[in-house]
């Protein structure tokens, strides 16, 4: 079943820089996204592409469509973002020697795996520490 999200919910806008880990000549891309969270303020339930690629380009449409698909999946019971992450391609980055997502899909999934800036405050309140 698809979970309906409340009309008003926490969200966090982010600027994401990404370069293909395989192409030394690839330009670094900066995209803007917004991640929307469930009522607990910690569980990602949606992701929106806000901009970064050339308006009207295939990449802009692709990034937007990927976000829509990820959002729909995340709003269904039993779908866990970790299941996506472990199945996607990662490559050794020639610049940093770290494993990085091999595509924009992986970059977006990695953003969903990162906690929001306010996560620490919510966890402390849940543990009875702080206001």
């Amino acid at each position: 079943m698809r979970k309906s999200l409340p009309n008003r919910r926490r969200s966090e806008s982010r600027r994401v820089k990404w370069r293909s880990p395989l192409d030394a000549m690839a330009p670094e891309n900066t995209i803007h996204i917004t991640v929307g969270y469930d009522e607990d303020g910690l569980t990602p339930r949606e992701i929106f592409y806000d901009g970064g690629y050339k308006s009207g380009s295939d990449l802009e449409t692709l990034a937007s469509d990927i976000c829509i698909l990820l959002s729909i999946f995340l709003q269904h019971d039993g779908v866990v973002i970790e299941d996506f992450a472990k199945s996607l391609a990662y490559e050794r980055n020639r610049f940093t020697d770290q494993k990085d997502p091999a595509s924009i899909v992986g970059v977006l999934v990695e953003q969903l795996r990162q906690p929001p800036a306010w996560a620490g405050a919510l966890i402390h309140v849940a543990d009875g520490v702080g206001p």
Side-chain angles (χ1 to χ4, degrees):
M1 295 276 312
R2 186 171 177 187
K3 180 179 180 170
S4 295
L5 299 175
N7 290 335
R8 297 186 58 83
R9 54 196 168 272
R10 289 181 190 234
S11 64
E12 181 176 58
S13 295
R14 300 177 184 167
R15 182 175 54 191
V16 181
K17 292 181 182 265
W18 179 72
R19 173 186 309 190
S20 171
L22 298 176
D23 184 357
M25 301 303 290
E28 183 175 71
N29 295 295
T30 300
I31 62 170
H32 302 269
I33 61 165
T34 299
V35 179
Y37 293 88
D38 206 346
E39 294 169 349
D40 65 5
L42 296 171
T43 306
R45 292 292 181 190
E46 61 190 352
I47 184 170
F48 298 99
Y49 168 79
D50 296 325
Y53 289 117
K54 183 178 177 184
S55 181
S57 71
D58 289 344
L59 284 173
E60 179 185 57
T61 303
L62 180 63
S64 181
D65 284 351
I66 292 166
C67 288
I68 291 166
L69 290 172
L70 288 172
S71 296
I72 291 170
F73 287 138
L74 289 172
Q75 292 167 24
H76 282 79
D77 291 334
V79 175
V80 180
I81 198 62
E82 298 302 325
D83 294 339
F84 288 108
K86 69 182 179 186
S87 300
L88 296 175
Y90 287 80
E91 297 290 342
R92 179 98 23 220
N93 187 311
R94 293 179 182 185
F95 306 105
T96 65
D97 203 38
Q98 296 177 351
K99 282 180 71 173
D100 286 339
S103 74
I104 189 65
V105 177
V107 171
L108 294 169
V109 168
E110 285 299 315
Q111 287 299 307
L112 290 168
R113 293 176 72 196
Q114 290 185 21
W118 60 79
L122 285 180
I123 291 169
H124 286 304
V125 170
D127 291 340
V129 178

